[in-house]
């Protein structure tokens, strides 16, 4: 692999933490300059500011999207659980290179791309701490006459419905290219919009208009209904995946998106790339 010295690229590093995760998470360096074919080592730092032990896991995305196909990580902390004690700080390396074929991509040439962004988001994988809070909410809900049991989940009868199992089904909005398919262990780049079907398809989250969402399929990075519904989708496919609360956020719900417990949800997912 020979470096392409005449095509310098600036890689910018950015980071966020999911709401509710009391961590500081920042890149050690804001950016680096390199050329395709040249390896580079960068670092991110995470610090647990809470009074409890927290296990986190990160996802990443690369923009522009076309550049993601040429961004190769030799060593990375993404998709690996990181456990930090209260006040503990950890430096995490990313060892990567940009494939020399980057310079031959027609879209990147047309857009005169010389800047690439690598973005990480950390999530809290340990939700045990929220169960006592949920118990308090359940008691309050009981006295307020609110729902404390899973919402009814029915699968419509239609030729357009693809049944995954008793608690997950989908409708295909656009067929894919039938080439690269999502399966456990593959890295998936996608645009996602989350809906609440029982509230007139109220949107609670969307990546459209921003960076795509990148994750590894089949390892628990996303909720069960998402993983089960996406398996077998191909690049280019758009499907709307419906799931019961049991396959979604369960009795706890999702506080970051104000989703109550026992709520059925749906995701419209567009598969941009499978690697």
């Amino acid at each position: 692999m020979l470096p392409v010295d005449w095509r310098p690229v600036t890689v910018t590093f950015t980071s966020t933490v999911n709401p509710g995760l009391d961590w500081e998470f920042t890149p050690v360096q804001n950016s680096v300059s390199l050329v395709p074919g040249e390896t580079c080592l960068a670092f991110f730092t995470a610090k647990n500011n809470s009074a409890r032990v927290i296990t986190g896991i990160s996802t990443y995305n690369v923009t522009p999207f076309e550049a993601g196909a040429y961004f190769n990580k030799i060593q990375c902390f993404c998709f690996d659980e990181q456990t930090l004690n209260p006040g503990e700080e950890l430096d995490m390396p990313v060892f990567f290179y940009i494939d020399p074929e980057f310079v031959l991509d027609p879209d990147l040439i047309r857009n005169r791309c010389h800047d690439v962004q690598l973005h990480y988001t950390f999530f809290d994988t340990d939700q045990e701490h929220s169960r006592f809070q949920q118990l308090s909410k359940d008691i309050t809900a009981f006295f307020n006459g609110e729902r404390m049991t899973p919402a009814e989940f029915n699968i419509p009868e239609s030729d357009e419905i693809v049944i995954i199992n008793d608690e997950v089904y989908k409708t295909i909005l656009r067929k894919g290219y039938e080439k690269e398919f999502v399966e456990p262990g593959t890295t998936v780049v996608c645009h996602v919009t989350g809906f609440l079907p029982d509230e007139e398809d109220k949107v609670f989250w969307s990546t459209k208009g921003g960076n795509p969402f990148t994750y590894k399929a089949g390892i628990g990075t996303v909720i069960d209904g998402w993983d089960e519904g996406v398996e077998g989708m191909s690049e280019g496919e758009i499907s709307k995946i419906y799931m019961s609360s049991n396959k979604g956020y369960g009795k706890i719900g999702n506080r970051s998106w104000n989703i109550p417990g026992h709520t059925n949800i749906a995701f419209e997912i567009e598969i941009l790339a499978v690697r």
Side-chain angles (χ1 to χ4, degrees), residues 118-186:
L118 175 63
H119 180 86
Y120 286 90
T121 301
F122 249 105
F123 298 83
D124 186 352
T125 62
D126 179 12
Q127 295 189 359
E128 292 294 324
H129 69 284
S130 65
R131 294 183 179 176
F132 293 104
Q133 297 176 6
Q134 184 61 35
L135 177 61
S136 175
K137 290 181 180 179
D138 284 346
I139 294 173
T140 302
F142 174 79
F143 287 107
N144 289 340
E146 298 172 3
R147 186 173 68 220
M148 293 181 60
T149 57
E152 186 176 353
F153 182 78
N154 297 311
I155 299 178
E157 294 185 5
S158 171
D159 293 338
E160 298 178 354
I161 298 298
V162 178
I163 299 176
I164 309 300
N165 53 52
D166 290 343
E167 296 185 273
V168 181
Y169 71 91
K170 70 178 182 179
T171 57
I172 300 175
L173 306 180
R174 186 182 73 192
K175 290 185 177 181
Y177 309 131
E178 302 295 325
K179 291 183 178 181
E180 300 294 333
F181 296 88
V182 178
E183 58 185 34
T186 56

Side-chain angles (χ1 to χ4, degrees), residues 14-25:
T14 58
S15 60
T16 56
V17 294
N18 199 48
L21 176 60
D22 191 10
W23 280 15
E24 291 179 28
F25 175 51

Side-chain angles (χ1 to χ4, degrees), residues 185-238:
T186 56
T187 297
V188 182
V189 182
C190 57
H191 270 309
V192 186
T193 300
F195 299 90
L196 300 179
D198 297 335
E199 296 186 27
E200 300 180 346
D201 271 356
K202 176 183 176 182
V203 175
F204 61 82
W205 174 54
S206 183
T207 64
K208 292 184 177 179
N211 293 333
F213 181 73
T214 302
Y215 74 101
K216 185 167 286 188
I219 64 168
T221 305
V222 295
I223 53 179
D224 290 344
W226 176 332
D227 249 344
E228 294 169 10
V230 166
E231 185 170 352
M233 288 179 65
S234 67
E235 286 187 356
E237 180 178 336
I238 303 177

Side-chain angles (χ1 to χ4, degrees), residues 3-65:
V4 184
D5 295 332
W6 53 268
R7 183 71 179 278
V9 178
T10 298
V11 179
T12 302
F13 306 99
T14 58
S15 60
T16 56
V17 294
N18 199 48
L21 176 60
D22 191 10
W23 280 15
E24 291 179 28
F25 175 51
T26 56
V28 173
Q29 60 291 294
N30 293 325
S31 64
V32 296
S33 294
L34 48 77
V35 297
E38 177 186 3
T39 57
C40 180
L41 180 63
F43 286 88
F44 285 73
T45 298
K47 182 179 180 180
N48 181 359
N49 290 325
S50 76
R52 65 183 181 89
V53 177
I54 297 179
T55 298
I57 193 168
S58 67
T59 60
Y60 77 96
N61 56 60
V62 176
T63 53
F65 163 69

